[in-house]
Amino acid sequence: MKFTRMHRVLLIVFCLFGMGVDAQFNSLPYTGSKLIRLNSFNPELSIALESFQVTYLSCRSHANTPELIVQDDALRWLDAHDISYDLLEEDLKQKIDREQIRMKKKRIHREGSAWYNTYRTYEEVQEKLYKIADENALASSVELGLSFENRKITGLKLSTGGIDKPAVFFNGCQHAREWITVMASVYLADHFVEKYQSDVFIQNLLDVVDVYVVPIVNPDGYVYTHTSDRFWRKNRQSNDSSSCVGIDLNRNWDADWNGGESTSSSTCSDVYVGEEAFSARETQIVKNFMETIPNLKGHLDIHSYSALVLGPWGYTNEVTPDHEEIVRLGESMNNALSNTYNYPYFFGTGDADGALYLASGTMPDWSYDSLGAFGFTYELRPQSWEEGGFELPESKIITACEENYKGTLEMVLWAAGDVVGCTDPDAFNYDAMASIDDGSCLTSGSLDSQTIVLPRGWKMISSNIQPLQPSIEKVLAPIQSGLIVAKNGAGAPYLPQYNYNGIGDVVDGQAYHIKLKNSDTLIVKGLKILSENFEMIFNEGWNMMAYLNETPSDVHSVFSSIKDEIIIVKSSEGLVYIPDLNYNALDLLNPGEGYQIKLRSPISYIYEAE
Ligand code: 0X9
Ligand code: ZN
């Protein structure tokens, strides 16, 4: 069949719809664009590049080695001036198109955690927020107002009611292209609400703190990144007497507004400050809303990318009057983010020791300056363009969301007064300072116990319980009247008559010899030692070991993994197991008993599970 003109038109139309209309358009501005990283940077170079159409990306690298979207003309200029750079992306348009195709495939799955398998559109986010509000008494939706193009700026309030409770405010997406911040904000609300059902600690926490979450404070810009320009940053407000659209929302707040740190008064710039503070419709609306929150303690403005936690001030390296507390909270959030998946974030105030630039007119500086709330910025994953830049791979969305959640949890804890612990005065681990119960209380009812029947005379004993008070006097107190002596593996004695304790505390996994005047029963109370995770450290030669399982098990199966190292295992009664001779009079190992074991070399050994 010959391709007619009609066929060709149909084919093009088909492809457009097949790939998703978005795919054709949000990449279009990047036809022929490349992404580079300059290997050095200075103000002169920055000025020279102004005559080309360049877009700066990651904020961490900006200070020294910026990642830039460029066209061939800029590259030719850099080449001609011998300025070195790495080419990170040969064909930016193709990269964006691929992202759209992946999103389209995954978009249909939206139940449960599948919602976080791909980036979601403005409409999908709205739908999700209303669903969370509908399904959970803890959450209600709040409409902050309408954007420049009349889209709703919607948030969720998580609250159990009451007035003047300490509150925190989390928002994403001041910058349109930072898609992961939208996912992370929705996730944190979703997750708090879910945990409120299942986790006593989160229940107690959210009973005393109100949490506000506004995932998309820049809806027009966000929609624009999906439909027209993947790397759009600003809002979509028109500027008087200029064909250039948009204000950088994070330069439009009234804290050192237009102060000159990473700002521009040119409407075409990506860091355009606006005509005046709050001239952007969205900053005005969000400001008005935040001012109505009575007891706002903390604010977190979520951005990407660079893996940073930033505290105030953002516009200067001078420190705030609350510096110490800001550093404490910042470090704790930074640790929480970093430790979730061992992905290193970096905390700082100001330019964070040169990790990024100062910035005037930012939102967290305003919330700190004007509302007295500790205003922080996160720059979520990734660290660099090579790991995805603004297009953090979909497989990492949940990971970034989890990290972000852990970080925000620290802020909620801090807002609650930071005193979490056991609040039950009858519990062994009662914490008089604690105001929020974290579910850790140990009362006699919640303790595990083990009963060990003891004969008259010598006996080697052990326990699978970790006693709350580990000194051997306390552990053996119930049988003290008949106790002549107890000895540890090294032969050190505890002699109750002489009030001499050469043993000190009992050690998990160890066994002890004791000698009794009469038969007796010992009850050990405390926390069960999880035998399957327990690592025994054995010396070469003789050791005394505890038996940690709750029921008897066969000596072969317990030691199968270290059989070749064992010379002999011996019970209190002198029964032995000698693997080399295939001799076994021991048979079963029993709870409460201790055993002597002689080894060929020092080894560590993870207990076989029951
Ligand atoms: O430039 C910004 O607005 C933020 N970075 S981003 O790449 N997401 O655009 C950083 C602003 C905060 N800056 C400081 N606290 N120094
Ligand atoms: Zn940003």
Side-chain angles (χ1 to χ4, degrees):
M1 185 179 71
K2 242 182 101 196
F3 263 92
T4 62
R5 212 181 117 82
M6 185 60 187
H7 274 120
R8 229 171 293 145
V9 171
L10 277 175
L11 188 69
I12 290 168
V13 170
F14 179 78
C15 287
L16 269 175
F17 284 96
M19 288 171 73
V21 179
D22 295 355
Q24 299 301 310
F25 297 130
N26 80 341
S27 64
L28 272 187
Y30 304 98
T31 311
S33 292
K34 298 182 169 57
L35 196 112
I36 62 164
R37 176 181 299 126
L38 295 175
N39 290 324
S40 61
F41 198 52
N42 56 53
E44 294 84 64
L45 184 51
S46 159
I47 292 164
L49 286 170
E50 276 174 21
S51 51
F52 301 96
Q53 215 199 344
V54 299
T55 304
Y56 292 85
L57 299 180
S58 154
C59 79
R60 188 191 273 223
S61 67
H62 195 145
N64 316 310
T65 55
E67 288 153 12
L68 290 176
I69 299 175
V70 291
Q71 300 282 344
D72 282 337
D73 55 350
L75 282 189
R76 274 194 299 273
W77 185 88
L78 290 169
D79 289 340
H81 289 82
D82 261 344
I83 295 166
S84 103
Y85 59 86
D86 294 327
L87 183 61
L88 303 181
E89 212 69 57
E90 181 81 50
D91 185 348
L92 205 52
K93 180 173 185 308
Q94 204 184 71
K95 189 175 158 73
I96 301 166
D97 286 340
R98 279 199 300 260
E99 180 185 49
Q100 286 294 320
I101 292 165
R102 285 197 308 274
M103 280 167 65
K104 192 157 191 276
K105 279 196 197 137
K106 289 185 183 160
R107 139 144 313 121
I108 35 173
H109 303 289
R110 40 177 83 181
E111 290 313 309
S113 66
W115 199 86
Y116 301 92
N117 286 348
T118 189
Y119 294 99
R120 299 292 172 175
T121 62
Y122 171 74
E123 285 75 21
E124 286 172 310
V125 170
Q126 293 298 104
E127 195 185 306
K128 177 80 171 173
L129 295 180
Y130 295 131
K131 186 168 184 269
I132 294 173
D134 273 357
E135 291 175 353
N136 298 280
L138 180 71
S140 48
S141 61
V142 280
E143 304 297 355
L144 281 66
L146 297 179
S147 68
F148 183 80
E149 292 175 346
N150 287 318
R151 289 188 182 86
K152 286 178 179 170
I153 301 175
T154 306
L156 286 175
K157 178 181 180 183
L158 314 184
S159 176
T160 55
I163 44 168
D164 280 359
K165 279 165 44 174
V168 287
F169 183 93
F170 301 125
N171 71 274
C173 204
Q174 281 207 82
H175 290 144
R177 62 196 176 190
E178 297 165 9
W179 287 4
I180 185 61
T181 71
V182 175
M183 302 305 290
S185 307
V186 175
Y187 183 90
L188 89 90
D190 204 0
H191 210 56
F192 268 120
V193 162
E194 188 191 309
K195 287 250 169 186
Y196 187 77
Q197 309 285 335
S198 58
D199 186 328
V200 185
F201 171 44
I202 298 297
Q203 255 165 39
N204 293 324
L205 188 60
L206 294 184
D207 281 343
V208 297
V209 183
D210 285 350
V211 176
Y212 294 85
V213 186
V214 184
I216 309 178
V217 294
N218 177 11
D220 302 345
Y222 188 61
V223 169
Y224 196 68
T225 57
H226 285 261
T227 58
S228 309
D229 180 345
R230 174 64 183 88
F231 295 121
W232 189 256
R233 167 180 166 103
K234 301 187 285 182
N235 74 350
R236 291 295 302 160
Q237 190 162 331
S238 49
N239 292 306
D240 286 351
S241 66
S242 167
S243 61
C244 286
V245 172
I247 298 164
D248 182 354
L249 297 187
N250 207 29
R251 297 293 180 276
N252 192 236
W253 298 77
D254 194 10
D256 192 42
W257 177 78
N258 201 13
E261 294 294 352
S262 165
T263 58
S264 169
S265 47
S266 157
T267 54
C268 300
S269 163
D270 250 355
V271 285
Y272 174 50
V273 294
E275 289 256 288
E276 56 183 324
F278 302 117
S279 58
R281 183 80 56 84
E282 295 80 9
T283 50
Q284 179 68 239
I285 283 169
V286 178
K287 161 194 189 271
N288 289 345
F289 181 78
M290 290 175 79
E291 284 174 344
T292 66
I293 303 172
N295 191 4
L296 190 67
K297 297 266 184 216
H299 164 228
L300 172 64
D301 179 27
I302 307 172
H303 290 251
S304 73
Y305 58 100
S306 286
L308 295 171
V309 173
L310 305 166
W313 301 110
Y315 75 90
T316 170
N317 277 324
E318 266 160 45
V319 299
T320 67
D322 297 307
H323 193 64
E324 248 175 60
E325 203 177 346
I326 278 165
V327 169
R328 226 179 300 127
L329 173 58
E331 292 285 5
S332 80
M333 295 196 292
N334 194 68
N335 289 339
L337 283 152
S338 305
N339 294 340
T340 310
Y341 290 107
N342 267 323
Y343 190 87
Y345 280 71
F346 182 78
F347 165 73
T349 62
D351 68 3
D353 299 336
L356 83 167
Y357 43 86
L358 298 171
S360 301
T362 63
M363 181 182 189
D365 276 0
W366 174 82
S367 42
Y368 177 60
D369 192 31
S370 288
L371 304 179
F374 280 16
F376 280 81
T377 303
Y378 288 176
E379 297 281 353
L380 296 183
R381 283 181 184 224
Q383 299 240 13
S384 66
W385 178 267
E386 283 88 334
E387 289 177 71
F390 295 118
E391 297 162 300
L392 178 72
E394 282 95 329
S395 59
K396 291 287 186 317
I397 293 176
I398 288 258
T399 313
C401 288
E402 269 287 321
E403 281 171 355
N404 179 70
Y405 169 77
K406 297 280 187 193
T408 61
L409 179 58
E410 290 299 316
M411 185 177 267
V412 180
L413 282 172
W414 166 83
D418 218 357
V419 196
V420 289
C422 170
T423 57
D424 177 357
D426 293 334
F428 296 106
N429 57 338
Y430 169 60
D431 180 350
M433 297 291 286
S435 52
I436 300 171
D437 197 275
D438 62 358
S440 71
C441 291
L442 296 167
T443 55
S444 47
S446 61
L447 291 183
D448 299 304
S449 73
Q450 182 179 19
T451 305
I452 305 170
V453 179
L454 302 168
R456 181 170 175 274
W458 281 103
K459 176 78 181 169
M460 207 177 354
I461 64 165
S462 74
S463 175
N464 52 30
I465 299 289
Q466 181 181 53
L468 287 182
Q469 292 180 301
S471 85
I472 192 135
E473 306 125 73
K474 291 274 193 249
V475 177
L476 298 183
I479 55 166
Q480 206 208 39
S481 60
L483 182 67
I484 301 165
V485 63
K487 281 185 182 174
N488 67 10
Y494 160 54
L495 297 160
Q497 286 110 310
Y498 301 96
N499 229 339
Y500 176 75
N501 180 2
I503 294 180
D505 290 349
V506 297
V507 178
D508 293 349
Q510 292 284 320
Y512 297 85
H513 286 291
I514 60 168
K515 191 176 184 187
L516 285 177
K517 284 185 217 144
N518 48 273
S519 58
D520 205 341
T521 302
L522 174 65
I523 298 176
V524 185
K525 279 193 168 189
L527 300 173
K528 174 97 185 65
I529 299 167
L530 293 173
S531 58
E532 61 269 33
N533 301 329
F534 193 84
E535 188 185 11
M536 297 250 185
I537 312 278
F538 289 135
N539 302 318
E540 183 184 338
W542 285 105
N543 299 267
M544 274 165 65
M545 61 163 275
Y547 179 68
L548 296 178
N549 291 346
E550 266 178 288
T551 52
S553 26
D554 180 64
V555 64
H556 278 298
S557 63
V558 170
F559 291 121
S560 61
S561 64
I562 56 166
K563 186 167 141 274
D564 294 344
E565 294 296 333
I566 296 178
I567 301 169
I568 186 169
V569 182
K570 200 171 155 189
S571 76
S572 229
E573 286 68 37
L575 300 173
V576 295
Y577 163 59
I578 306 173
D580 282 354
L581 304 178
N582 226 339
Y583 179 78
N584 183 8
L586 196 50
D587 255 354
L588 292 179
L589 302 183
N590 293 303
E593 304 258 349
Y595 296 92
Q596 284 175 299
I597 179 168
K598 191 176 183 189
L599 295 167
R600 301 206 152 82
S601 50
I603 49 170
S604 93
Y605 163 60
I606 302 282
Y607 226 80
E608 300 286 319
E610 284 177 77

